[in-house]
Amino acid sequence: EAQVTQNPRYLITVTGKKLTVTCSQNMNHEYMSWYRQDPGLGLRQIYYSMNVEVTDKGDVPEGYKVSRKEKRNFPLILESPSPNQTSLYFCASSLGLPITGELFFGEGSRLTVL
Amino acid sequence: ILNVEQSPQSLHVQEGDSTNFTCSFPSSNFYALHWYRWETAKSPEALFVMTLNGDEKKKGRISATLNTKEGYSYLYIKGSQPEDSATYLCAPFGSGAQKLVFGQGTRLTINP
């Protein structure tokens, strides 16, 4: 089954404790992206990747890191989480740049930073 | 940065009624317009990807139209059912932003 898998789905952590949210897709997609969803705001892009070893900042990259060592995986790293990073996070992928091709989303990771 | 507006922000509709809502976006440098349906506790799923002015797409009881010259798209749902309750997101892709920019969504609730 074609899917984007995120882990963990739910996480409560404390300020400053490094964490990684994993994202994996099994569709051989080149494009992958991370979004955060906050109340009253649309999905905002954090980072994206056009292919292996090619990543770039989105609209809200501060406090986050990503890597793309393999085509299927695109982990999101919070080196020193802060309460303003409490949010719902989505990983998404598409075959290429999502112009005429749709995005496929993971099920979301709800992160709370105390 | 693209300014994407969806209206209304929320909508309550009686089961069986038809409804529609709007996505407005800058008309310049337009490439494509995506519609996604997002049910609570699930992931957003693509409904339509539209590129041409005047384009009209349909999936069951849901259809969408696109006007790239004036910068808007309508989503229509005919004969609403409880399973249509969801947040509907639109996202244009423009040459300026070089990415999808999501609107805040229209939250639709169908009352049985």
Side-chain angles (χ1 to χ4, degrees), chain A residues 85-99:
Chain A
Q85 292 178 297
T86 293
S87 189
L88 177 60
Y89 292 87
F90 284 104
C91 179
S93 71
S94 62
L95 195 58
L97 204 60
I99 303 176

Side-chain angles (χ1 to χ4, degrees), chain A:
Chain A
E1 181 189 354
Q3 58 186 2
V4 179
T5 304
Q6 295 179 228
N7 279 297
R9 295 284 313 281
Y10 302 91
L11 180 63
I12 300 174
T13 189
V14 295
T15 299
K17 186 176 181 182
K18 180 180 178 179
L19 69 92
T20 299
V21 186
T22 63
C23 174
S24 182
Q25 50 91 6
N26 62 1
M27 295 169 279
N28 202 35
H29 284 172
E30 291 191 347
Y31 182 92
M32 297 186 75
S33 181
W34 277 102
Y35 296 89
R36 61 179 286 174
Q37 168 70 44
D38 300 294
L41 299 173
L43 287 166
R44 292 183 294 167
Q45 191 179 53
I46 304 170
Y47 269 95
Y48 66 97
S49 169
M50 289 297 299
N51 213 325
V52 175
E53 302 292 1
V54 181
T55 63
D56 210 346
K57 295 177 180 179
D59 295 319
V60 287
E62 295 78 19
Y64 305 95
K65 285 186 178 179
V66 292
S67 68
R68 188 94 181 269
K69 294 187 171 64
E70 303 165 284
K71 198 170 187 179
R72 63 185 292 125
N73 296 324
F74 190 44
L76 179 70
I77 303 156
L78 287 72
E79 293 271 1
S80 183
S82 62
N84 65 10
Q85 292 178 297
T86 293
S87 189
L88 177 60
Y89 292 87
F90 284 104
C91 179
S93 71
S94 62
L95 195 58
L97 204 60
I99 303 176
T100 55
E102 65 189 79
L103 278 175
F104 291 81
F105 284 87
E107 292 189 315
S109 296
R110 187 167 291 281
L111 172 64
T112 301
V113 184
L114 302 175

Side-chain angles (χ1 to χ4, degrees), chain A residues 102-105, chain B residues 34-37 44-49 59:
Chain A
E102 65 189 79
L103 278 175
F104 291 81
F105 284 87
Chain B
H34 294 220
W35 279 101
Y36 290 84
R37 169 194 160 89
E45 290 185 347
L47 282 172
F48 306 112
V49 178
K59 186 182 285 190

